[in-house]
Amino acid sequence: MVIDTKRCVGCNACTVACKMANNVPQDIFWTRALTDGGEMMDTPAGEFPDVSLRYITVSCQHCENPACAKVCPVGATYKDPETGVVRQDYDKCIGCRMCMSACPYTGVRSFNWEEPRYPMDFALGDADAPKHQKHVVEKCIFCYQRLARGETPACMDLCPARARHFGDLDDPDSEVSKLLKERSYEQLLPSEGTKPSVYYLV
């Protein structure tokens, strides 16, 4: 995933698209738009007239070297060998939350303490989205059910600013590969050695 921070307007359409497509339980978000610089949402950094405002959308970074998968005692957190997506097997998860402790990216995982609750009395989104369970850890799965159908993640489809790009970094002709060759970029917490698969164009 390549996210253009110069195009992102912090509208949280990606947050809503993710929540709807995956029928994410109430009060849980797999992705969110954060303000870089200011202490509160939508507040600039600096002092007038020298101010700046930038948004960073944060979710699971789908690391090449995921710390979460290394500590999971039952293999419920694992990296899909075909796509590189870091996935969760809810049926295997024992709720120990070791993955949450090991992940250096604060707030990208959530734990269902109770039976999942929803704003509607019927399921929303993709019919083949994973079913949520009590006492398991959840996170962004790059809409794996959509990838299996040859589609792109919902967050990318709904982005009105077209700030999100998704593709195969192993393919030098893919859009994401070309963007990373043309533009400067950064990754979150590279010092952790997890090698995240989410890149932010600057």
Side-chain angles (χ1 to χ4, degrees), residues 25 28 30 74 76-77 88-100 109-116 118 130-139:
I28 293 176
W30 285 358
V74 293
T77 300
Q88 290 285 118
D89 187 331
Y90 299 155
D91 292 328
K92 284 185 179 179
C93 181
I94 58 174
C96 69
R97 303 187 298 285
M98 290 292 290
C99 56
M100 296 179 79
R109 290 171 175 262
S110 57
F111 183 71
N112 292 333
W113 289 98
E114 304 294 339
E115 283 295 338
Y118 305 94
K131 302 297 181 269
H132 305 280
Q133 302 175 27
K134 181 180 178 181
H135 293 164
V136 301
V137 176
E138 295 191 346
K139 65 173 199 65

Tab-separated table of all heavy atoms in Angstrom, residues 25 28 30 74 76-77 88-100 109-116 118 130-139:
chain	number	residue	atom	x	y	z
A	25	PRO	N	-16.936	-4.417	14.131
A	25	PRO	CA	-17.830	-4.156	15.263
A	25	PRO	C	-17.833	-2.699	15.729
A	25	PRO	O	-16.900	-1.937	15.460
A	25	PRO	CB	-17.284	-5.075	16.361
A	25	PRO	CG	-16.598	-6.174	15.624
A	25	PRO	CD	-16.020	-5.519	14.409
A	28	ILE	N	-14.888	-0.047	17.189
A	28	ILE	CA	-13.595	-0.572	16.752
A	28	ILE	C	-13.303	-0.042	15.352
A	28	ILE	O	-14.191	0.012	14.497
A	28	ILE	CB	-13.579	-2.115	16.755
A	28	ILE	CG1	-13.675	-2.635	18.191
A	28	ILE	CG2	-12.328	-2.658	16.079
A	28	ILE	CD1	-13.760	-4.139	18.296
A	30	TRP	N	-10.272	-0.351	12.240
A	30	TRP	CA	-9.060	-1.001	11.773
A	30	TRP	C	-8.098	-0.006	11.139
A	30	TRP	O	-6.918	-0.285	10.971
A	30	TRP	CB	-9.389	-2.099	10.775
A	30	TRP	CG	-9.957	-3.330	11.398
A	30	TRP	CD1	-10.157	-3.567	12.740
A	30	TRP	CD2	-10.385	-4.505	10.724
A	30	TRP	NE1	-10.698	-4.813	12.917
A	30	TRP	CE2	-10.847	-5.412	11.706
A	30	TRP	CE3	-10.439	-4.881	9.388
A	30	TRP	CZ2	-11.350	-6.677	11.381
A	30	TRP	CZ3	-10.937	-6.130	9.053
A	30	TRP	CH2	-11.379	-7.030	10.052
A	74	VAL	N	0.180	-19.860	18.948
A	74	VAL	CA	-0.652	-20.871	18.281
A	74	VAL	C	-0.716	-20.691	16.769
A	74	VAL	O	-1.440	-21.410	16.081
A	74	VAL	CB	-2.086	-20.871	18.869
A	74	VAL	CG1	-2.072	-21.348	20.306
A	74	VAL	CG2	-2.735	-19.500	18.746
A	76	ALA	N	-1.968	-18.156	15.152
A	76	ALA	CA	-3.184	-17.465	14.716
A	76	ALA	C	-2.853	-16.213	13.912
A	76	ALA	O	-3.610	-15.809	13.036
A	76	ALA	CB	-4.049	-17.097	15.925
A	77	THR	N	-1.726	-15.596	14.211
A	77	THR	CA	-1.230	-14.472	13.428
A	77	THR	C	-0.147	-15.004	12.510
A	77	THR	O	0.829	-15.594	12.974
A	77	THR	CB	-0.649	-13.374	14.338
A	77	THR	OG1	-1.668	-12.907	15.214
A	77	THR	CG2	-0.127	-12.211	13.520
A	88	GLN	N	-5.107	-12.905	10.443
A	88	GLN	CA	-5.534	-13.417	11.739
A	88	GLN	C	-6.473	-14.594	11.516
A	88	GLN	O	-7.418	-14.486	10.735
A	88	GLN	CB	-6.312	-12.348	12.518
A	88	GLN	CG	-5.490	-11.188	13.021
A	88	GLN	CD	-4.655	-11.545	14.217
A	88	GLN	OE1	-3.442	-11.487	14.155
A	88	GLN	NE2	-5.273	-11.941	15.299
A	89	ASP	N	-6.217	-15.704	12.174
A	89	ASP	CA	-7.124	-16.841	12.157
A	89	ASP	C	-7.906	-16.816	13.462
A	89	ASP	O	-7.400	-17.199	14.512
A	89	ASP	CB	-6.340	-18.146	12.023
A	89	ASP	CG	-7.240	-19.363	11.819
A	89	ASP	OD1	-8.390	-19.334	12.314
A	89	ASP	OD2	-6.785	-20.331	11.181
A	90	TYR	N	-9.135	-16.317	13.395
A	90	TYR	CA	-9.949	-16.151	14.603
A	90	TYR	C	-10.219	-17.476	15.304
A	90	TYR	O	-10.349	-17.522	16.524
A	90	TYR	CB	-11.275	-15.476	14.268
A	90	TYR	CG	-11.155	-14.083	13.673
A	90	TYR	CD1	-12.152	-13.559	12.874
A	90	TYR	CD2	-10.023	-13.290	13.915
A	90	TYR	CE1	-12.057	-12.283	12.332
A	90	TYR	CE2	-9.912	-12.023	13.373
A	90	TYR	CZ	-10.934	-11.521	12.578
A	90	TYR	OH	-10.827	-10.256	12.042
A	91	ASP	N	-10.319	-18.542	14.546
A	91	ASP	CA	-10.612	-19.849	15.157
A	91	ASP	C	-9.430	-20.366	15.972
A	91	ASP	O	-9.609	-21.131	16.915
A	91	ASP	CB	-10.996	-20.870	14.080
A	91	ASP	CG	-12.334	-20.537	13.424
A	91	ASP	OD1	-13.200	-19.984	14.123
A	91	ASP	OD2	-12.493	-20.831	12.228
A	92	LYS	N	-8.215	-19.950	15.611
A	92	LYS	CA	-7.028	-20.386	16.352
A	92	LYS	C	-6.697	-19.454	17.517
A	92	LYS	O	-6.075	-19.873	18.485
A	92	LYS	CB	-5.812	-20.450	15.421
A	92	LYS	CG	-5.786	-21.644	14.490
A	92	LYS	CD	-4.463	-21.643	13.724
A	92	LYS	CE	-4.356	-22.836	12.796
A	92	LYS	NZ	-3.081	-22.816	12.042
A	93	CYS	N	-7.085	-18.194	17.404
A	93	CYS	CA	-6.704	-17.179	18.395
A	93	CYS	C	-7.211	-17.563	19.783
A	93	CYS	O	-8.382	-17.891	19.968
A	93	CYS	CB	-7.262	-15.813	17.991
A	93	CYS	SG	-6.841	-14.477	19.127
A	94	ILE	N	-6.308	-17.524	20.773
A	94	ILE	CA	-6.677	-17.861	22.147
A	94	ILE	C	-6.817	-16.611	23.020
A	94	ILE	O	-7.009	-16.704	24.231
A	94	ILE	CB	-5.654	-18.828	22.786
A	94	ILE	CG1	-4.245	-18.212	22.770
A	94	ILE	CG2	-5.674	-20.176	22.063
A	94	ILE	CD1	-3.196	-19.033	23.499
A	95	GLY	N	-6.693	-15.445	22.403
A	95	GLY	CA	-6.910	-14.200	23.127
A	95	GLY	C	-5.806	-13.809	24.089
A	95	GLY	O	-6.028	-13.035	25.025
A	96	CYS	N	-4.594	-14.293	23.879
A	96	CYS	CA	-3.492	-13.977	24.803
A	96	CYS	C	-2.979	-12.548	24.610
A	96	CYS	O	-2.323	-11.996	25.483
A	96	CYS	CB	-2.360	-14.981	24.658
A	96	CYS	SG	-1.463	-14.867	23.080
A	97	ARG	N	-3.228	-11.988	23.436
A	97	ARG	CA	-2.862	-10.613	23.102
A	97	ARG	C	-1.344	-10.373	23.043
A	97	ARG	O	-0.871	-9.245	23.165
A	97	ARG	CB	-3.531	-9.617	24.060
A	97	ARG	CG	-5.038	-9.750	24.070
A	97	ARG	CD	-5.730	-8.685	24.880
A	97	ARG	NE	-5.389	-8.686	26.292
A	97	ARG	CZ	-5.836	-9.562	27.192
A	97	ARG	NH1	-6.650	-10.532	26.806
A	97	ARG	NH2	-5.492	-9.472	28.461
A	98	MET	N	-0.576	-11.440	22.878
A	98	MET	CA	0.871	-11.287	22.710
A	98	MET	C	1.195	-10.471	21.462
A	98	MET	O	2.157	-9.689	21.441
A	98	MET	CB	1.536	-12.663	22.628
A	98	MET	CG	1.546	-13.438	23.932
A	98	MET	SD	2.604	-12.702	25.178
A	98	MET	CE	4.214	-13.043	24.482
A	99	CYS	N	0.398	-10.653	20.415
A	99	CYS	CA	0.616	-9.919	19.164
A	99	CYS	C	0.457	-8.416	19.390
A	99	CYS	O	1.179	-7.604	18.802
A	99	CYS	CB	-0.322	-10.408	18.076
A	99	CYS	SG	-2.080	-10.324	18.500
A	100	MET	N	-0.500	-8.041	20.242
A	100	MET	CA	-0.725	-6.628	20.529
A	100	MET	C	0.465	-6.033	21.268
A	100	MET	O	0.853	-4.887	21.023
A	100	MET	CB	-2.008	-6.456	21.349
A	100	MET	CG	-3.263	-6.883	20.618
A	100	MET	SD	-4.767	-6.711	21.597
A	100	MET	CE	-5.059	-4.953	21.456
A	109	ARG	N	-4.338	-2.793	16.420
A	109	ARG	CA	-5.047	-4.032	16.743
A	109	ARG	C	-6.054	-3.764	17.842
A	109	ARG	O	-5.866	-2.871	18.661
A	109	ARG	CB	-4.066	-5.116	17.212
A	109	ARG	CG	-3.175	-5.645	16.116
A	109	ARG	CD	-2.078	-6.546	16.676
A	109	ARG	NE	-1.307	-7.126	15.593
A	109	ARG	CZ	-1.504	-8.342	15.098
A	109	ARG	NH1	-2.420	-9.133	15.620
A	109	ARG	NH2	-0.777	-8.790	14.106
A	110	SER	N	-7.104	-4.548	17.861
A	110	SER	CA	-8.120	-4.423	18.905
A	110	SER	C	-8.480	-5.809	19.415
A	110	SER	O	-8.230	-6.815	18.743
A	110	SER	CB	-9.372	-3.725	18.353
A	110	SER	OG	-9.882	-4.444	17.239
A	111	PHE	N	-9.060	-5.840	20.598
A	111	PHE	CA	-9.430	-7.105	21.212
A	111	PHE	C	-10.915	-7.079	21.545
A	111	PHE	O	-11.411	-6.122	22.137
A	111	PHE	CB	-8.611	-7.345	22.488
A	111	PHE	CG	-8.896	-8.673	23.145
A	111	PHE	CD1	-8.475	-9.854	22.553
A	111	PHE	CD2	-9.597	-8.744	24.338
A	111	PHE	CE1	-8.729	-11.080	23.153
A	111	PHE	CE2	-9.850	-9.959	24.947
A	111	PHE	CZ	-9.419	-11.140	24.353
A	112	ASN	N	-11.621	-8.112	21.141
A	112	ASN	CA	-13.055	-8.203	21.417
A	112	ASN	C	-13.285	-8.791	22.814
A	112	ASN	O	-13.300	-10.008	22.980
A	112	ASN	CB	-13.757	-9.075	20.358
A	112	ASN	CG	-13.768	-8.414	18.997
A	112	ASN	OD1	-13.735	-7.204	18.875
A	112	ASN	ND2	-13.803	-9.225	17.951
A	113	TRP	N	-13.446	-7.915	23.786
A	113	TRP	CA	-13.669	-8.370	25.156
A	113	TRP	C	-15.028	-9.033	25.309
A	113	TRP	O	-15.205	-9.940	26.123
A	113	TRP	CB	-13.564	-7.194	26.120
A	113	TRP	CG	-12.170	-6.687	26.277
A	113	TRP	CD1	-11.611	-5.614	25.648
A	113	TRP	CD2	-11.134	-7.240	27.104
A	113	TRP	NE1	-10.300	-5.464	26.023
A	113	TRP	CE2	-9.978	-6.435	26.921
A	113	TRP	CE3	-11.078	-8.320	27.986
A	113	TRP	CZ2	-8.792	-6.691	27.593
A	113	TRP	CZ3	-9.887	-8.564	28.650
A	113	TRP	CH2	-8.764	-7.764	28.456
A	114	GLU	N	-15.993	-8.562	24.527
A	114	GLU	CA	-17.363	-9.083	24.605
A	114	GLU	C	-17.796	-9.572	23.224
A	114	GLU	O	-17.067	-9.436	22.244
A	114	GLU	CB	-18.313	-7.987	25.104
A	114	GLU	CG	-17.920	-7.366	26.445
A	114	GLU	CD	-18.012	-8.356	27.592
A	114	GLU	OE1	-18.727	-9.365	27.454
A	114	GLU	OE2	-17.360	-8.121	28.635
A	115	GLU	N	-19.010	-10.110	23.167
A	115	GLU	CA	-19.566	-10.467	21.863
A	115	GLU	C	-19.626	-9.197	21.011
A	115	GLU	O	-20.075	-8.148	21.495
A	115	GLU	CB	-20.979	-11.047	22.012
A	115	GLU	CG	-21.014	-12.482	22.501
A	115	GLU	CD	-20.399	-13.465	21.510
A	115	GLU	OE1	-20.311	-13.144	20.304
A	115	GLU	OE2	-19.980	-14.550	21.949
A	116	PRO	N	-19.147	-9.241	19.779
A	116	PRO	CA	-19.156	-8.043	18.940
A	116	PRO	C	-20.556	-7.451	18.803
A	116	PRO	O	-21.537	-8.174	18.635
A	116	PRO	CB	-18.642	-8.568	17.586
A	116	PRO	CG	-17.825	-9.762	17.941
A	116	PRO	CD	-18.534	-10.391	19.111
A	118	TYR	N	-22.961	-4.321	16.882
A	118	TYR	CA	-23.020	-3.599	15.620
A	118	TYR	C	-24.110	-2.528	15.671
A	118	TYR	O	-25.096	-2.675	16.394
A	118	TYR	CB	-23.310	-4.579	14.474
A	118	TYR	CG	-22.320	-5.720	14.407
A	118	TYR	CD1	-22.587	-6.932	15.045
A	118	TYR	CD2	-21.113	-5.576	13.747
A	118	TYR	CE1	-21.674	-7.976	15.007
A	118	TYR	CE2	-20.192	-6.615	13.709
A	118	TYR	CZ	-20.479	-7.813	14.346
A	118	TYR	OH	-19.575	-8.833	14.311
A	130	PRO	N	-14.657	-11.877	7.074
A	130	PRO	CA	-14.524	-12.770	8.236
A	130	PRO	C	-15.579	-12.457	9.297
A	130	PRO	O	-15.921	-11.295	9.518
A	130	PRO	CB	-13.116	-12.477	8.760
A	130	PRO	CG	-12.423	-11.730	7.693
A	130	PRO	CD	-13.443	-11.099	6.832
A	131	LYS	N	-16.077	-13.489	9.940
A	131	LYS	CA	-17.060	-13.320	11.016
A	131	LYS	C	-16.312	-13.006	12.313
A	131	LYS	O	-15.388	-13.707	12.694
A	131	LYS	CB	-17.901	-14.588	11.175
A	131	LYS	CG	-18.650	-14.995	9.908
A	131	LYS	CD	-19.666	-13.942	9.501
A	131	LYS	CE	-20.445	-14.351	8.261
A	131	LYS	NZ	-19.852	-13.900	7.012
A	132	HIS	N	-16.744	-11.968	12.995
A	132	HIS	CA	-16.079	-11.515	14.214
A	132	HIS	C	-16.494	-12.376	15.402
A	132	HIS	O	-17.626	-12.843	15.477
A	132	HIS	CB	-16.410	-10.044	14.453
A	132	HIS	CG	-16.079	-9.187	13.273
A	132	HIS	ND1	-14.806	-8.750	12.999
A	132	HIS	CD2	-16.859	-8.727	12.260
A	132	HIS	CE1	-14.814	-8.043	11.884
A	132	HIS	NE2	-16.046	-8.017	11.415
A	133	GLN	N	-15.542	-12.557	16.322
A	133	GLN	CA	-15.777	-13.436	17.465
A	133	GLN	C	-15.345	-12.770	18.764
A	133	GLN	O	-14.501	-11.877	18.773
A	133	GLN	CB	-14.993	-14.746	17.299
A	133	GLN	CG	-15.319	-15.530	16.045
A	133	GLN	CD	-14.426	-16.751	15.883
A	133	GLN	OE1	-13.936	-17.304	16.863
A	133	GLN	NE2	-14.211	-17.169	14.658
A	134	LYS	N	-15.902	-13.238	19.844
A	134	LYS	CA	-15.532	-12.783	21.184
A	134	LYS	C	-14.153	-13.335	21.566
A	134	LYS	O	-13.794	-14.444	21.179
A	134	LYS	CB	-16.586	-13.270	22.185
A	134	LYS	CG	-16.350	-12.863	23.628
A	134	LYS	CD	-17.463	-13.414	24.496
A	134	LYS	CE	-17.255	-13.081	25.968
A	134	LYS	NZ	-18.337	-13.635	26.814
A	135	HIS	N	-13.391	-12.539	22.323
A	135	HIS	CA	-12.092	-12.936	22.876
A	135	HIS	C	-11.033	-13.240	21.814
A	135	HIS	O	-10.226	-14.158	21.980
A	135	HIS	CB	-12.238	-14.133	23.829
A	135	HIS	CG	-12.993	-13.788	25.074
A	135	HIS	ND1	-13.526	-14.735	25.908
A	135	HIS	CD2	-13.311	-12.584	25.626
A	135	HIS	CE1	-14.146	-14.141	26.904
A	135	HIS	NE2	-14.025	-12.836	26.768
A	136	VAL	N	-11.061	-12.490	20.722
A	136	VAL	CA	-10.011	-12.617	19.708
A	136	VAL	C	-9.472	-11.232	19.355
A	136	VAL	O	-10.124	-10.215	19.564
A	136	VAL	CB	-10.507	-13.324	18.422
A	136	VAL	CG1	-11.014	-14.709	18.720
A	136	VAL	CG2	-11.561	-12.502	17.715
A	137	VAL	N	-8.267	-11.222	18.808
A	137	VAL	CA	-7.639	-9.989	18.340
A	137	VAL	C	-8.019	-9.772	16.879
A	137	VAL	O	-8.086	-10.716	16.099
A	137	VAL	CB	-6.106	-10.066	18.490
A	137	VAL	CG1	-5.441	-8.821	17.913
A	137	VAL	CG2	-5.718	-10.246	19.946
A	138	GLU	N	-8.271	-8.505	16.533
A	138	GLU	CA	-8.606	-8.158	15.152
A	138	GLU	C	-7.709	-7.038	14.661
A	138	GLU	O	-7.129	-6.303	15.455
A	138	GLU	CB	-10.059	-7.692	15.059
A	138	GLU	CG	-11.088	-8.729	15.376
A	138	GLU	CD	-12.476	-8.266	14.997
A	138	GLU	OE1	-12.666	-7.062	14.734
A	138	GLU	OE2	-13.379	-9.112	14.946
A	139	LYS	N	-7.643	-6.908	13.331
A	139	LYS	CA	-6.875	-5.826	12.711
A	139	LYS	C	-7.188	-5.777	11.221
A	139	LYS	O	-7.892	-6.638	10.699
A	139	LYS	CB	-5.380	-6.064	12.917
A	139	LYS	CG	-4.901	-7.298	12.195
A	139	LYS	CD	-3.396	-7.433	12.259
A	139	LYS	CE	-2.900	-8.362	11.177
A	139	LYS	NZ	-3.128	-7.868	9.833
